[in-house]
Amino acid sequence: MEAITRDFFLFLSKNSLLNKIAQNRGGSFAAGKLIGGVDFKSSVRFIRGLNNQGLSVTVDHLGEFVDSVEVANERTEECISTIEMISKEGLDSQVSLKMTSLGLDIDRDLVVKNMTRILDAAEKHKIMVTIDMEDVPRCQATIDLFKQFKEKYSCVSTVLQAYLYRTEKDLEDLGKYQPFLRMVKGAYKESPEHAFPEKTDVDENYKKLIEQSLINGNYTAIASHDDQIIEYTKELAKKHNIPNDRFEFQMLYGMRNKTQLELAKQGYKMRVYVPYGMDWYGYFMRRLAERPANIAFAFKGIFKK
């Protein structure tokens, strides 16, 4: 049943008609519930509200798989503008982005040029930029780019996905870079050739990767709504005397709001992933596909406000 639910929401995420309808009519519905707003400026008040509650933030301008140089350059300018506004407004926020939004599918030199401009701004303002991980065909290129940027910049991090067989080796290879890593289960539909097909196997690999990353001394963000994973991380930190300032929890905006606040009150860094932009529909469908429980969390968040 879980596999059927996942496939259903992934199918919906790729429906161009529904995506267009959502962009035209759904921005105001989603703002403040699923996304910060249709642009970063309109998201600032929601981010400040989260900060005032003791929650940190990472923002993401929604959109990926860009196939136009012009759009890739626009995305770059948007990201630089966002970094500058975060600094100007004094927000406790980082930035997340995808390499395909900067032109990965067009030309590698274009991505390097655009990301270099972004990281120059990030270093100037001391704001972390996280390179999100994408699907398997783009995984190696993303890791290679992260390694290249990490040699020059300190304000850059990346993401590893627990459902991929390769991730344990990737984590080992990244050790020498002393990386800031966000650990996630994974949201793309991948074949059994590349990914664990069973949830129980993904969960066990996720725990193994969290332990390996923390023990290796990497600053680790555990991005999960799963209570078992959260409790596992807490116990692991106690067992190995890992201080709270060596890891953080991350959750999606609009989901498990009460739990987010409880974790912050317990003394853990809690970072909320706040996407913004018109392309919110595909993002939302993929989040529902990740874990069936997200469906309940999402609708509670939507109708509570």
Side-chain angles (χ1 to χ4, degrees):
M1 184 62 186
E2 185 172 316
I4 295 173
T5 302
R6 177 186 174 88
D7 289 347
F8 174 68
F9 282 111
L10 287 173
F11 168 76
L12 290 180
S13 73
K14 298 174 182 177
N15 187 295
S16 57
L17 176 60
L18 292 176
N19 207 332
K20 186 174 181 180
I21 292 172
Q23 287 188 21
N24 291 338
R25 303 180 183 178
S28 59
F29 165 77
K33 302 179 180 71
L34 307 174
I35 61 173
V38 294
D39 55 30
F40 184 72
K41 186 176 181 180
S42 63
S43 304
V44 168
R45 66 186 180 99
F46 297 111
I47 296 168
R48 196 180 302 284
L50 292 169
N51 289 169
N52 290 341
Q53 296 178 82
L55 302 171
S56 300
V57 167
T58 186
V59 297
D60 183 1
H61 184 209
L62 294 171
E64 55 191 302
F65 306 129
V66 168
D67 59 5
S68 160
V69 173
E70 181 180 6
V71 174
N73 291 337
E74 288 174 357
R75 297 280 182 176
T76 301
E77 294 295 339
E78 168 67 26
C79 192
I80 293 170
S81 175
T82 296
I83 289 169
E84 291 173 345
M85 193 176 295
I86 288 171
S87 178
K88 180 181 177 182
E89 295 288 337
L91 301 173
D92 178 4
S93 179
Q94 299 178 354
V95 172
S96 295
L97 51 74
K98 292 180 173 62
M99 293 290 89
T100 54
S101 73
L102 305 183
L104 179 63
D105 293 347
I106 303 170
D107 179 68
R108 192 180 191 282
D109 289 342
L110 175 65
V111 174
V112 172
K113 176 185 174 182
N114 285 338
M115 191 61 177
T116 297
R117 293 184 60 215
I118 289 169
L119 290 176
D120 283 343
E123 292 286 314
K124 176 182 176 181
H125 296 289
K126 304 301 179 188
I127 293 172
M128 182 65 70
V129 175
T130 297
I131 301 173
D132 280 334
M133 190 55 68
E134 303 184 63
D135 55 1
V136 163
R138 298 167 177 87
C139 185
Q140 188 60 52
T142 301
I143 288 176
D144 290 343
L145 286 165
F146 169 71
K147 289 177 178 178
Q148 178 179 337
F149 296 130
K150 193 69 173 71
E151 290 177 354
K152 180 179 179 181
Y153 299 100
S154 60
C155 292
V156 60
S157 61
T158 195
V159 179
L160 294 178
Q161 301 173 112
Y163 71 164
L164 296 181
Y165 302 133
R166 63 172 290 165
T167 301
E168 185 173 3
K169 182 64 166 57
D170 288 333
L171 178 57
E172 182 181 335
D173 290 344
L174 289 173
K176 67 179 181 180
Y177 294 90
Q178 298 182 310
F180 176 141
L181 295 173
R182 180 194 298 158
M183 310 297 292
V184 303
K185 289 187 180 180
Y188 293 90
K189 184 174 174 59
E190 305 292 359
S191 75
E193 178 185 355
H194 299 289
F196 294 101
E198 300 297 330
K199 179 184 181 299
T200 53
D201 293 328
V202 176
D203 288 349
E204 287 307 307
N205 198 46
Y206 196 14
K207 291 177 182 177
K208 182 197 299 185
L209 294 169
I210 291 169
E211 180 176 21
Q212 183 179 338
S213 185
L214 287 174
I215 290 176
N216 287 350
N218 304 327
Y219 185 90
T220 307
I222 296 88
S224 177
H225 297 145
D226 190 328
D227 286 328
Q228 291 186 356
I229 295 296
I230 293 167
E231 291 305 315
Y232 170 80
T233 303
K234 291 179 180 179
E235 292 302 316
L236 184 69
K238 290 178 184 176
K239 178 181 176 181
H240 295 285
N241 296 314
I242 298 168
N244 288 0
D245 63 2
R246 294 302 305 160
F247 67 96
E248 65 184 51
F249 294 107
Q250 295 189 2
M251 292 187 188
L252 303 175
Y253 184 52
M255 298 188 191
R256 305 216 68 184
N257 299 341
K258 184 178 178 181
T259 301
Q260 293 175 14
L261 293 172
E262 287 175 350
L263 286 168
K265 288 177 182 177
Q266 290 169 11
Y268 297 102
K269 173 158 301 271
M270 177 66 237
R271 189 175 303 279
V272 185
Y273 180 90
V274 180
Y276 70 94
M278 296 300 293
D279 294 333
W280 64 272
Y281 169 79
Y283 152 80
F284 184 45
M285 291 300 109
R286 285 195 298 277
R287 298 296 78 77
L288 297 184
E290 274 183 276
R291 184 167 177 253
N294 283 351
I295 301 170
F297 297 149
F299 283 98
K300 281 181 184 177
I302 289 170
F303 295 109
K304 219 173 188 183
K305 297 182 180 182

